[in-house]
Amino acid sequence: MSEIKLAAQVRESFGKGSARQARRDALTPAVIYGHGTEPKHVNVDAHALQLALRTPNVLLSLDIAGGGTELVIPKAVQKHPLKRSISHVDFLIVKKGEKVTVDVAIVTEGELAPGGNMLETLQNTISVEAEATHIPTEVTVSIAGLEAGATITAKDLVLPAGTTLAVDGDIAVLQVIGAQAEEPAAEAAGTEA
């Protein structure tokens, strides 16, 4: 995964009023923490940040005006409940070669065996440990030909090289449910009489 470069500026004032003013100026307040350093409060261009965060677990290189460059990943993103715009971000400092634990989307491919079976998704994401500069965007699992009663667990997932599970391997991720037999309406009416 390549890193996205964003410009940031150090925040001098704090509180709700300051954060609201930053948002009016098309900036998003954020805090950078990790590796035993003091938290840095910054403002980032709102539009550029919104575009960058479309990629889950994106690796960002924040160029802080007068404060150097920090390699970070988003740890917590707060959104406005109605507008869905980003109101605040917590960034975690990472180093190249360092392993981080992140949640990665699970994507299915293929078709189930014929017979009206249904796929039940038990987990939409899975926690994995990967190098900060090589975080996978998704984990793909094939459901081709699976029949009723089949279950795919976390240990059955094929993870990219250098990525390991950060959860118990016996956790069920997907399962196939058999088609439910429907009682014909005429028979149902006859049994009631």
Side-chain angles (χ1 to χ4, degrees):
M1 171 186 296
S2 63
E3 56 193 68
I4 297 175
K5 295 182 187 304
L6 292 178
Q9 49 191 276
V10 176
R11 274 193 293 161
E12 300 298 334
S13 56
F14 305 99
K16 284 184 180 180
S18 170
R20 286 183 183 141
Q21 183 59 48
R23 290 185 201 104
R24 279 193 294 270
D25 295 339
L27 298 170
T28 300
V31 64
I32 303 168
Y33 64 92
H35 287 282
T37 62
E38 285 292 318
K40 293 180 186 172
H41 299 273
V42 296
N43 286 326
V44 183
D45 178 77
H47 182 68
L49 182 62
Q50 184 105 20
L51 292 175
L53 293 181
R54 285 185 177 174
T55 304
N57 302 315
V58 66
L59 185 64
L60 298 171
S61 176
L62 291 182
D63 184 17
I64 304 166
T69 302
E70 293 285 1
L71 194 60
V72 298
I73 59 172
K75 200 61 180 168
V77 178
Q78 297 172 10
K79 293 188 176 186
H80 187 280
L82 299 175
K83 298 178 189 174
R84 304 305 300 158
S85 58
I86 298 171
S87 56
H88 188 272
V89 180
D90 288 351
F91 291 117
L92 179 64
I93 298 172
V94 294
K95 305 287 183 202
K96 293 189 185 223
E98 174 186 16
K99 293 251 184 182
V100 293
T101 302
V102 294
D103 290 339
V104 178
I106 298 173
V107 178
T108 59
E109 66 180 12
E111 297 289 325
L112 294 174
N117 297 328
M118 294 178 17
L119 181 68
E120 181 179 16
T121 303
L122 303 172
Q123 304 287 330
N124 291 320
T125 61
I126 193 78
S127 289
V128 297
E129 189 176 83
E131 186 183 336
T133 56
H134 294 91
I135 298 172
T137 55
E138 62 187 31
V139 174
T140 305
V141 60
S142 175
I143 58 168
L146 292 180
E147 296 185 5
T151 300
I152 296 176
T153 61
K155 65 184 173 196
D156 298 329
L157 299 175
V158 178
L159 301 174
T163 304
T164 57
L165 283 177
V167 295
D168 182 15
D170 293 329
I171 292 176
V173 176
L174 303 166
Q175 69 182 10
V176 180
I177 301 171
Q180 301 293 323
E182 291 186 25
E183 204 174 296
E187 286 182 15
T191 57
E192 290 175 8

